[in-house]
Amino acid sequence: MSGSLVVVAKNSAEHKKWKYVQWAYLAGFVLLTPLVLEPFEIGKMNRALIMGVAILAVNLVVGFNGMLALGHSAFMGIGAFVTASMVQDENWDYWQVIPIVVIVGFLMGVIVGLPALRVKGLYLALVTIAQAAVFPTLVNIDELGIAKRTGGPNGKGVSEEVIAPSYLEWLPGVDGARGGSAYRFWIIVLMVGITLLLVTNYLRSRPGRAVLAIRDNEAGAAVYGVNLPIVKTMNFAISASIGSLAGLMWCLDKGFVAGQDFTFLLAVDLIIGLVLGGVGTLQGGLVGGLFVVWVNDLTKRISVPLGLYTLNGDGPLAKAIFGLILILFTFFAPGGIVSLGRLINNKLIHIVPLTPSGESIEPMSGFDPGMESTRADTAMKLSIAGPVLLGVGWLLMNVNNLVVGVLAFGLRMTILLAPVAMLVGINELKAHADGNRPDSVKGPASMARNLGALGFVFVIGYALQRFVQTYPIWDIPLI
Amino acid sequence: MDLVLLLQRIFDALFNSAIYSSLALALVIIFRSTGLLNFAQGEMATFTAYIAFVFLSGPQPRLTGGGLAGLVPGVPFPIPLAIIGAVICGMAGGAVTERALIRPLGRAPDLALVNITIGILLATNSLMAQWWGTGPRMFPAVFPSGAGQNFTILGARLRYSTIGVWAVLLTVLVLLVLLLRHTRTGLAFRAVSISRSSAELVGVRVGPTLMYGWALASGFGALAACLSANSVLLEPNMMLRVLVYAFAAATLGGLDSPKGALVGGLIIGLSQTLIPAYVPFIGFELSVLPALIAMVAILLVRPEGLYGTKRIERV
């Protein structure tokens, strides 16, 4: 395949290796988050994951079922308030509330969905936006004891703190002062993982395929025997219950819930995350959540020193940037960040499916010598990118305090890229020694190995320094 | 029930109704021609209200944001001239938006169009906060609305401003109808809203026609914003709440019917004032609720709204 760096057969050893590398990256990212980041940054990460789950819920309706439902902030709010009320007023544990929240969310989804799904397209968008707009005022109703349960305009705080039990203190990052947010991070990661697994399986199941069929061709799906109202309503209700679950996680993370947190603006944030991440992709939600939260954070840091206004913590610049990004993405990358990622992925690796007898469907003759040296070249560039970014970030930080974020970004790039560059370099050198590579590979490959190793050593050193900072070993009494 | 009080409440509601109706009209014009809901309508309108504010306040950089007024010779303008200037700016802005952001998309899925308008909403909102600050501004009253400046009918006070707003709204509406019925552009506009592809086939230039549509709609929005800026205080989020009501009004009347927008605005405005007054369960805090419930209920019975055209799909 032209343009791809590497061509491998599906399910071959190389393909599996590639998959393991991807999983290792993910695991490394998750593992490093509570170890490297500051407590407030872990909090941001939690927030991003929660937004990710909520965006996944929106995606289930918008991306996978083709219905424009934009009011999931209300379902999040319902989940959050039910959780706050049960934990604070009834002294339940958070995990005991999960089934209640899921069931309540599901029922609310059915109640809203049954009438709402009768209308189509933009009309549905209107109805659901109305739902999002009215929710913050609904929690203030005095009747039926609603205001007592929700705390009315003052919001509701949960006094019970989420602290790791002693048998879970071995979790990375869960210790001492910043244990709280790290422990919540692990709970949220667990819940996100389970939710993703369930949603993946749901979409592969019979009702899931019916949902996709409705999106692709509603009339066609009906002709093939899909019960449109039931499948749509069930899908909407499942999405609502996932949204409520995100609300539960919100309450667990923040320990405080107010109607003003779940306004129309949150619904807009969810849509932005959906579009930026990728409509109709499973990963899109999480990517979008990360993006929304971190861009908000970054623009806030930039706007304050520049003397720009900040509204409730988010710079208005954040909103302008989001608006701009939203328009640009709609024009130039309708598939969101995930589609861009896939584009890059396709440049790196092309996976050729095999026939049952084991022959490749496309010719696998992509291994021309020129390609081999470009592989080493790319590895070298990968190894350089991280440190260069780091250096630039350091310079910028000294020149101007505004761009703190770039440093953090460079550090993260080094953490991710350096080991890989080192491994690729070593691998290529070994192949060269075996006589499988032309001599032109040698220079770039050894450079990749050396620079990668340097970055790797730096990362280890940094981690050690952080470790020592957090766990001052010389303070431990030896006797 | 106190009849005078009822009449008074109806009179009070009429002012808001006119504002909702005119913003709903803007939404309807765009929906008819382009088939999209302009979520940014309110923000675009607020922006033009700020422009009118700049025209009114003269060259005072602190007040008008970076001395924008310095670009305009002869400020401060008198109120009517300022509003007309703002409406013209709004129309130009609407036309540019259509040309630059909507037309290149072509026949995109609904979500893409919604995204574009939400993008405009966010960007405009933050730009306004940046230039003019988030604090509310005093916008002068267009029509006399002080104490005692009213007619008294059966003991209830009908303010001059309410009458003025309705007079403006109806005049503009008559102008709009004349434009649609008796000019070539109006004919082209009607042809495009009935069937875009057929209009294209018989030689109507669809692009410019849609641009006129956007310009008209933005003009309506600008008028609504300028007329209401005195009563709701000029600030960046001024029209967000109004937009929710206008959406409800447009949906209630049928998204593709100008008559529906007028009736819908009336119903929403009246229910917003009357229902909280007579239903103790719903306080004024919740005045948005009955409007939205009415909208959902009507959509359930008649998904196309009160006066909307029923859509029949060919499979």
Side-chain angles (χ1 to χ4, degrees), chain B residues 159-188:
Chain B
R159 288 170 190 275
Y160 293 151
S161 58
T162 309
I163 297 173
V165 166
W166 272 100
V168 170
L169 176 62
L170 291 178
T171 316
V172 175
L173 206 59
V174 168
L175 286 179
L176 178 71
V177 171
L178 287 180
L179 180 79
L180 287 182
R181 294 251 170 97
H182 297 286
T183 63
R184 231 183 134 66
T185 316
L187 184 68

PDB file of all heavy atoms in Angstrom, chain B residues 159-188:
ATOM      1  N   ARG B 159     -48.869  50.601  28.000  1.00  0.00           N
ATOM      2  CA  ARG B 159     -47.741  51.507  27.808  1.00  0.00           C
ATOM      3  C   ARG B 159     -47.599  51.914  26.350  1.00  0.00           C
ATOM      4  O   ARG B 159     -47.862  51.131  25.444  1.00  0.00           O
ATOM      5  CB  ARG B 159     -46.453  50.837  28.252  1.00  0.00           C
ATOM      6  CG  ARG B 159     -46.316  50.680  29.727  1.00  0.00           C
ATOM      7  CD  ARG B 159     -45.120  49.791  30.008  1.00  0.00           C
ATOM      8  NE  ARG B 159     -45.069  49.419  31.405  1.00  0.00           N
ATOM      9  CZ  ARG B 159     -44.504  50.180  32.336  1.00  0.00           C
ATOM     10  NH1 ARG B 159     -43.971  51.328  32.001  1.00  0.00           N
ATOM     11  NH2 ARG B 159     -44.490  49.790  33.579  1.00  0.00           N
ATOM     12  N   TYR B 160     -47.078  53.124  26.155  1.00  0.00           N
ATOM     13  CA  TYR B 160     -46.785  53.574  24.792  1.00  0.00           C
ATOM     14  C   TYR B 160     -45.761  52.653  24.133  1.00  0.00           C
ATOM     15  O   TYR B 160     -45.819  52.377  22.935  1.00  0.00           O
ATOM     16  CB  TYR B 160     -46.228  54.997  24.795  1.00  0.00           C
ATOM     17  CG  TYR B 160     -47.217  56.060  25.221  1.00  0.00           C
ATOM     18  CD1 TYR B 160     -46.800  57.225  25.844  1.00  0.00           C
ATOM     19  CD2 TYR B 160     -48.582  55.879  24.969  1.00  0.00           C
ATOM     20  CE1 TYR B 160     -47.698  58.200  26.232  1.00  0.00           C
ATOM     21  CE2 TYR B 160     -49.491  56.860  25.356  1.00  0.00           C
ATOM     22  CZ  TYR B 160     -49.052  58.014  25.997  1.00  0.00           C
ATOM     23  OH  TYR B 160     -49.943  58.956  26.368  1.00  0.00           O
ATOM     24  N   SER B 161     -44.796  52.175  24.947  1.00  0.00           N
ATOM     25  CA  SER B 161     -43.717  51.373  24.355  1.00  0.00           C
ATOM     26  C   SER B 161     -44.278  50.082  23.753  1.00  0.00           C
ATOM     27  O   SER B 161     -43.838  49.649  22.687  1.00  0.00           O
ATOM     28  CB  SER B 161     -42.658  51.058  25.408  1.00  0.00           C
ATOM     29  OG  SER B 161     -43.241  50.369  26.480  1.00  0.00           O
ATOM     30  N   THR B 162     -45.281  49.483  24.452  1.00  0.00           N
ATOM     31  CA  THR B 162     -45.874  48.263  23.904  1.00  0.00           C
ATOM     32  C   THR B 162     -46.501  48.538  22.550  1.00  0.00           C
ATOM     33  O   THR B 162     -46.283  47.807  21.580  1.00  0.00           O
ATOM     34  CB  THR B 162     -46.946  47.739  24.874  1.00  0.00           C
ATOM     35  OG1 THR B 162     -46.372  47.663  26.172  1.00  0.00           O
ATOM     36  CG2 THR B 162     -47.444  46.388  24.438  1.00  0.00           C
ATOM     37  N   ILE B 163     -47.271  49.650  22.501  1.00  0.00           N
ATOM     38  CA  ILE B 163     -47.911  49.998  21.242  1.00  0.00           C
ATOM     39  C   ILE B 163     -46.856  50.267  20.170  1.00  0.00           C
ATOM     40  O   ILE B 163     -46.944  49.785  19.035  1.00  0.00           O
ATOM     41  CB  ILE B 163     -48.810  51.226  21.424  1.00  0.00           C
ATOM     42  CG1 ILE B 163     -49.935  50.888  22.405  1.00  0.00           C
ATOM     43  CG2 ILE B 163     -49.391  51.673  20.098  1.00  0.00           C
ATOM     44  CD1 ILE B 163     -50.767  52.077  22.780  1.00  0.00           C
ATOM     45  N   GLY B 164     -45.818  50.996  20.566  1.00  0.00           N
ATOM     46  CA  GLY B 164     -44.763  51.325  19.608  1.00  0.00           C
ATOM     47  C   GLY B 164     -44.107  50.076  19.047  1.00  0.00           C
ATOM     48  O   GLY B 164     -43.921  49.945  17.835  1.00  0.00           O
ATOM     49  N   VAL B 165     -43.783  49.130  19.954  1.00  0.00           N
ATOM     50  CA  VAL B 165     -43.112  47.910  19.502  1.00  0.00           C
ATOM     51  C   VAL B 165     -43.998  47.148  18.527  1.00  0.00           C
ATOM     52  O   VAL B 165     -43.545  46.674  17.476  1.00  0.00           O
ATOM     53  CB  VAL B 165     -42.734  47.040  20.714  1.00  0.00           C
ATOM     54  CG1 VAL B 165     -42.351  45.654  20.273  1.00  0.00           C
ATOM     55  CG2 VAL B 165     -41.585  47.673  21.457  1.00  0.00           C
ATOM     56  N   TRP B 166     -45.293  47.061  18.882  1.00  0.00           N
ATOM     57  CA  TRP B 166     -46.198  46.337  17.985  1.00  0.00           C
ATOM     58  C   TRP B 166     -46.348  47.062  16.661  1.00  0.00           C
ATOM     59  O   TRP B 166     -46.412  46.422  15.604  1.00  0.00           O
ATOM     60  CB  TRP B 166     -47.566  46.120  18.634  1.00  0.00           C
ATOM     61  CG  TRP B 166     -47.564  44.864  19.428  1.00  0.00           C
ATOM     62  CD1 TRP B 166     -47.412  44.744  20.761  1.00  0.00           C
ATOM     63  CD2 TRP B 166     -47.689  43.534  18.923  1.00  0.00           C
ATOM     64  NE1 TRP B 166     -47.416  43.437  21.139  1.00  0.00           N
ATOM     65  CE2 TRP B 166     -47.591  42.671  20.017  1.00  0.00           C
ATOM     66  CE3 TRP B 166     -47.850  42.983  17.651  1.00  0.00           C
ATOM     67  CZ2 TRP B 166     -47.665  41.288  19.889  1.00  0.00           C
ATOM     68  CZ3 TRP B 166     -47.928  41.613  17.520  1.00  0.00           C
ATOM     69  CH2 TRP B 166     -47.835  40.768  18.628  1.00  0.00           C
ATOM     70  N   ALA B 167     -46.387  48.399  16.712  1.00  0.00           N
ATOM     71  CA  ALA B 167     -46.511  49.154  15.457  1.00  0.00           C
ATOM     72  C   ALA B 167     -45.314  48.876  14.562  1.00  0.00           C
ATOM     73  O   ALA B 167     -45.478  48.584  13.364  1.00  0.00           O
ATOM     74  CB  ALA B 167     -46.619  50.646  15.757  1.00  0.00           C
ATOM     75  N   VAL B 168     -44.104  48.914  15.158  1.00  0.00           N
ATOM     76  CA  VAL B 168     -42.910  48.628  14.362  1.00  0.00           C
ATOM     77  C   VAL B 168     -42.983  47.229  13.783  1.00  0.00           C
ATOM     78  O   VAL B 168     -42.758  47.000  12.590  1.00  0.00           O
ATOM     79  CB  VAL B 168     -41.649  48.802  15.233  1.00  0.00           C
ATOM     80  CG1 VAL B 168     -40.431  48.282  14.499  1.00  0.00           C
ATOM     81  CG2 VAL B 168     -41.463  50.259  15.588  1.00  0.00           C
ATOM     82  N   LEU B 169     -43.330  46.270  14.668  1.00  0.00           N
ATOM     83  CA  LEU B 169     -43.365  44.870  14.227  1.00  0.00           C
ATOM     84  C   LEU B 169     -44.331  44.688  13.059  1.00  0.00           C
ATOM     85  O   LEU B 169     -43.995  44.093  12.035  1.00  0.00           O
ATOM     86  CB  LEU B 169     -43.764  43.974  15.398  1.00  0.00           C
ATOM     87  CG  LEU B 169     -43.931  42.493  15.076  1.00  0.00           C
ATOM     88  CD1 LEU B 169     -42.617  41.919  14.592  1.00  0.00           C
ATOM     89  CD2 LEU B 169     -44.403  41.737  16.296  1.00  0.00           C
ATOM     90  N   LEU B 170     -45.545  45.252  13.212  1.00  0.00           N
ATOM     91  CA  LEU B 170     -46.538  45.053  12.156  1.00  0.00           C
ATOM     92  C   LEU B 170     -46.126  45.762  10.871  1.00  0.00           C
ATOM     93  O   LEU B 170     -46.294  45.211   9.777  1.00  0.00           O
ATOM     94  CB  LEU B 170     -47.909  45.539  12.643  1.00  0.00           C
ATOM     95  CG  LEU B 170     -48.488  44.646  13.753  1.00  0.00           C
ATOM     96  CD1 LEU B 170     -49.824  45.189  14.231  1.00  0.00           C
ATOM     97  CD2 LEU B 170     -48.655  43.217  13.265  1.00  0.00           C
ATOM     98  N   THR B 171     -45.566  46.973  11.000  1.00  0.00           N
ATOM     99  CA  THR B 171     -45.100  47.685   9.801  1.00  0.00           C
ATOM    100  C   THR B 171     -44.080  46.859   9.047  1.00  0.00           C
ATOM    101  O   THR B 171     -44.178  46.650   7.831  1.00  0.00           O
ATOM    102  CB  THR B 171     -44.456  49.028  10.194  1.00  0.00           C
ATOM    103  OG1 THR B 171     -45.278  49.660  11.167  1.00  0.00           O
ATOM    104  CG2 THR B 171     -44.282  49.912   8.992  1.00  0.00           C
ATOM    105  N   VAL B 172     -43.107  46.361   9.793  1.00  0.00           N
ATOM    106  CA  VAL B 172     -42.056  45.590   9.146  1.00  0.00           C
ATOM    107  C   VAL B 172     -42.632  44.331   8.516  1.00  0.00           C
ATOM    108  O   VAL B 172     -42.244  43.925   7.417  1.00  0.00           O
ATOM    109  CB  VAL B 172     -40.957  45.247  10.168  1.00  0.00           C
ATOM    110  CG1 VAL B 172     -39.918  44.353   9.551  1.00  0.00           C
ATOM    111  CG2 VAL B 172     -40.305  46.514  10.654  1.00  0.00           C
ATOM    112  N   LEU B 173     -43.616  43.749   9.228  1.00  0.00           N
ATOM    113  CA  LEU B 173     -44.245  42.540   8.700  1.00  0.00           C
ATOM    114  C   LEU B 173     -44.944  42.835   7.376  1.00  0.00           C
ATOM    115  O   LEU B 173     -44.827  42.075   6.404  1.00  0.00           O
ATOM    116  CB  LEU B 173     -45.246  42.006   9.721  1.00  0.00           C
ATOM    117  CG  LEU B 173     -45.509  40.515   9.652  1.00  0.00           C
ATOM    118  CD1 LEU B 173     -44.216  39.761   9.869  1.00  0.00           C
ATOM    119  CD2 LEU B 173     -46.536  40.131  10.691  1.00  0.00           C
ATOM    120  N   VAL B 174     -45.679  43.967   7.336  1.00  0.00           N
ATOM    121  CA  VAL B 174     -46.361  44.341   6.092  1.00  0.00           C
ATOM    122  C   VAL B 174     -45.343  44.551   4.980  1.00  0.00           C
ATOM    123  O   VAL B 174     -45.500  44.065   3.859  1.00  0.00           O
ATOM    124  CB  VAL B 174     -47.209  45.612   6.315  1.00  0.00           C
ATOM    125  CG1 VAL B 174     -47.676  46.167   4.981  1.00  0.00           C
ATOM    126  CG2 VAL B 174     -48.399  45.289   7.205  1.00  0.00           C
ATOM    127  N   LEU B 175     -44.232  45.230   5.338  1.00  0.00           N
ATOM    128  CA  LEU B 175     -43.173  45.435   4.341  1.00  0.00           C
ATOM    129  C   LEU B 175     -42.638  44.104   3.828  1.00  0.00           C
ATOM    130  O   LEU B 175     -42.424  43.908   2.632  1.00  0.00           O
ATOM    131  CB  LEU B 175     -42.033  46.261   4.950  1.00  0.00           C
ATOM    132  CG  LEU B 175     -42.324  47.746   5.140  1.00  0.00           C
ATOM    133  CD1 LEU B 175     -41.128  48.430   5.773  1.00  0.00           C
ATOM    134  CD2 LEU B 175     -42.643  48.388   3.799  1.00  0.00           C
ATOM    135  N   LEU B 176     -42.469  43.186   4.777  1.00  0.00           N
ATOM    136  CA  LEU B 176     -41.944  41.864   4.401  1.00  0.00           C
ATOM    137  C   LEU B 176     -42.894  41.166   3.434  1.00  0.00           C
ATOM    138  O   LEU B 176     -42.479  40.606   2.410  1.00  0.00           O
ATOM    139  CB  LEU B 176     -41.744  41.013   5.647  1.00  0.00           C
ATOM    140  CG  LEU B 176     -41.252  39.593   5.394  1.00  0.00           C
ATOM    141  CD1 LEU B 176     -39.808  39.613   4.946  1.00  0.00           C
ATOM    142  CD2 LEU B 176     -41.409  38.726   6.621  1.00  0.00           C
ATOM    143  N   VAL B 177     -44.194  41.209   3.770  1.00  0.00           N
ATOM    144  CA  VAL B 177     -45.184  40.555   2.902  1.00  0.00           C
ATOM    145  C   VAL B 177     -45.172  41.194   1.525  1.00  0.00           C
ATOM    146  O   VAL B 177     -45.189  40.500   0.494  1.00  0.00           O
ATOM    147  CB  VAL B 177     -46.579  40.622   3.550  1.00  0.00           C
ATOM    148  CG1 VAL B 177     -47.629  40.162   2.566  1.00  0.00           C
ATOM    149  CG2 VAL B 177     -46.619  39.773   4.804  1.00  0.00           C
ATOM    150  N   LEU B 178     -45.105  42.541   1.500  1.00  0.00           N
ATOM    151  CA  LEU B 178     -45.056  43.230   0.202  1.00  0.00           C
ATOM    152  C   LEU B 178     -43.821  42.793  -0.588  1.00  0.00           C
ATOM    153  O   LEU B 178     -43.897  42.517  -1.788  1.00  0.00           O
ATOM    154  CB  LEU B 178     -45.025  44.752   0.410  1.00  0.00           C
ATOM    155  CG  LEU B 178     -46.342  45.369   0.877  1.00  0.00           C
ATOM    156  CD1 LEU B 178     -46.174  46.871   1.044  1.00  0.00           C
ATOM    157  CD2 LEU B 178     -47.447  45.063  -0.114  1.00  0.00           C
ATOM    158  N   LEU B 179     -42.702  42.716   0.130  1.00  0.00           N
ATOM    159  CA  LEU B 179     -41.457  42.309  -0.519  1.00  0.00           C
ATOM    160  C   LEU B 179     -41.584  40.909  -1.108  1.00  0.00           C
ATOM    161  O   LEU B 179     -41.188  40.648  -2.244  1.00  0.00           O
ATOM    162  CB  LEU B 179     -40.331  42.356   0.508  1.00  0.00           C
ATOM    163  CG  LEU B 179     -38.947  41.954   0.006  1.00  0.00           C
ATOM    164  CD1 LEU B 179     -38.339  43.108  -0.738  1.00  0.00           C
ATOM    165  CD2 LEU B 179     -38.059  41.540   1.162  1.00  0.00           C
ATOM    166  N   LEU B 180     -42.184  40.008  -0.324  1.00  0.00           N
ATOM    167  CA  LEU B 180     -42.280  38.619  -0.778  1.00  0.00           C
ATOM    168  C   LEU B 180     -43.271  38.479  -1.926  1.00  0.00           C
ATOM    169  O   LEU B 180     -43.080  37.674  -2.826  1.00  0.00           O
ATOM    170  CB  LEU B 180     -42.701  37.710   0.383  1.00  0.00           C
ATOM    171  CG  LEU B 180     -41.635  37.438   1.441  1.00  0.00           C
ATOM    172  CD1 LEU B 180     -42.178  36.483   2.486  1.00  0.00           C
ATOM    173  CD2 LEU B 180     -40.400  36.850   0.803  1.00  0.00           C
ATOM    174  N   ARG B 181     -44.360  39.260  -1.881  1.00  0.00           N
ATOM    175  CA  ARG B 181     -45.420  39.060  -2.871  1.00  0.00           C
ATOM    176  C   ARG B 181     -45.173  39.818  -4.164  1.00  0.00           C
ATOM    177  O   ARG B 181     -45.569  39.370  -5.228  1.00  0.00           O
ATOM    178  CB  ARG B 181     -46.757  39.532  -2.278  1.00  0.00           C
ATOM    179  CG  ARG B 181     -47.224  38.687  -1.115  1.00  0.00           C
ATOM    180  CD  ARG B 181     -48.424  37.845  -1.492  1.00  0.00           C
ATOM    181  NE  ARG B 181     -48.681  36.888  -0.416  1.00  0.00           N
ATOM    182  CZ  ARG B 181     -49.575  37.097   0.540  1.00  0.00           C
ATOM    183  NH1 ARG B 181     -50.291  38.196   0.531  1.00  0.00           N
ATOM    184  NH2 ARG B 181     -49.746  36.204   1.483  1.00  0.00           N
ATOM    185  N   HIS B 182     -44.561  41.005  -4.075  1.00  0.00           N
ATOM    186  CA  HIS B 182     -44.590  41.896  -5.228  1.00  0.00           C
ATOM    187  C   HIS B 182     -43.241  42.238  -5.816  1.00  0.00           C
ATOM    188  O   HIS B 182     -43.145  43.118  -6.649  1.00  0.00           O
ATOM    189  CB  HIS B 182     -45.322  43.195  -4.866  1.00  0.00           C
ATOM    190  CG  HIS B 182     -46.760  42.952  -4.504  1.00  0.00           C
ATOM    191  ND1 HIS B 182     -47.714  42.643  -5.444  1.00  0.00           N
ATOM    192  CD2 HIS B 182     -47.391  42.932  -3.311  1.00  0.00           C
ATOM    193  CE1 HIS B 182     -48.873  42.455  -4.833  1.00  0.00           C
ATOM    194  NE2 HIS B 182     -48.694  42.626  -3.538  1.00  0.00           N
ATOM    195  N   THR B 183     -42.169  41.597  -5.364  1.00  0.00           N
ATOM    196  CA  THR B 183     -40.879  41.897  -6.006  1.00  0.00           C
ATOM    197  C   THR B 183     -40.307  40.615  -6.590  1.00  0.00           C
ATOM    198  O   THR B 183     -40.706  39.503  -6.231  1.00  0.00           O
ATOM    199  CB  THR B 183     -39.860  42.466  -5.007  1.00  0.00           C
ATOM    200  OG1 THR B 183     -39.600  41.455  -4.028  1.00  0.00           O
ATOM    201  CG2 THR B 183     -40.370  43.708  -4.338  1.00  0.00           C
ATOM    202  N   ARG B 184     -39.365  40.824  -7.474  1.00  0.00           N
ATOM    203  CA  ARG B 184     -38.727  39.671  -8.125  1.00  0.00           C
ATOM    204  C   ARG B 184     -37.931  38.862  -7.104  1.00  0.00           C
ATOM    205  O   ARG B 184     -37.965  37.630  -7.097  1.00  0.00           O
ATOM    206  CB  ARG B 184     -37.794  40.198  -9.219  1.00  0.00           C
ATOM    207  CG  ARG B 184     -38.029  39.532 -10.539  1.00  0.00           C
ATOM    208  CD  ARG B 184     -37.041  40.010 -11.574  1.00  0.00           C
ATOM    209  NE  ARG B 184     -36.492  38.877 -12.313  1.00  0.00           N
ATOM    210  CZ  ARG B 184     -37.225  38.115 -13.121  1.00  0.00           C
ATOM    211  NH1 ARG B 184     -38.513  38.352 -13.297  1.00  0.00           N
ATOM    212  NH2 ARG B 184     -36.684  37.093 -13.758  1.00  0.00           N
ATOM    213  N   THR B 185     -37.212  39.582  -6.214  1.00  0.00           N
ATOM    214  CA  THR B 185     -36.448  38.891  -5.178  1.00  0.00           C
ATOM    215  C   THR B 185     -37.368  38.050  -4.299  1.00  0.00           C
ATOM    216  O   THR B 185     -37.053  36.915  -3.952  1.00  0.00           O
ATOM    217  CB  THR B 185     -35.706  39.921  -4.305  1.00  0.00           C
ATOM    218  OG1 THR B 185     -35.126  40.890  -5.171  1.00  0.00           O
ATOM    219  CG2 THR B 185     -34.674  39.266  -3.470  1.00  0.00           C
ATOM    220  N   GLY B 186     -38.518  38.647  -3.956  1.00  0.00           N
ATOM    221  CA  GLY B 186     -39.470  37.928  -3.122  1.00  0.00           C
ATOM    222  C   GLY B 186     -39.951  36.662  -3.802  1.00  0.00           C
ATOM    223  O   GLY B 186     -40.064  35.596  -3.175  1.00  0.00           O
ATOM    224  N   LEU B 187     -40.202  36.772  -5.096  1.00  0.00           N
ATOM    225  CA  LEU B 187     -40.650  35.602  -5.855  1.00  0.00           C
ATOM    226  C   LEU B 187     -39.576  34.520  -5.833  1.00  0.00           C
ATOM    227  O   LEU B 187     -39.867  33.339  -5.561  1.00  0.00           O
ATOM    228  CB  LEU B 187     -40.954  36.032  -7.290  1.00  0.00           C
ATOM    229  CG  LEU B 187     -41.525  34.937  -8.195  1.00  0.00           C
ATOM    230  CD1 LEU B 187     -42.920  34.563  -7.735  1.00  0.00           C
ATOM    231  CD2 LEU B 187     -41.560  35.413  -9.641  1.00  0.00           C
ATOM    232  N   ALA B 188     -38.327  34.951  -6.068  1.00  0.00           N
ATOM    233  CA  ALA B 188     -37.220  33.998  -6.050  1.00  0.00           C
ATOM    234  C   ALA B 188     -37.114  33.345  -4.676  1.00  0.00           C
ATOM    235  O   ALA B 188     -36.936  32.131  -4.566  1.00  0.00           O
ATOM    236  CB  ALA B 188     -35.915  34.713  -6.400  1.00  0.00           C
TER     237      ALA B 188
END
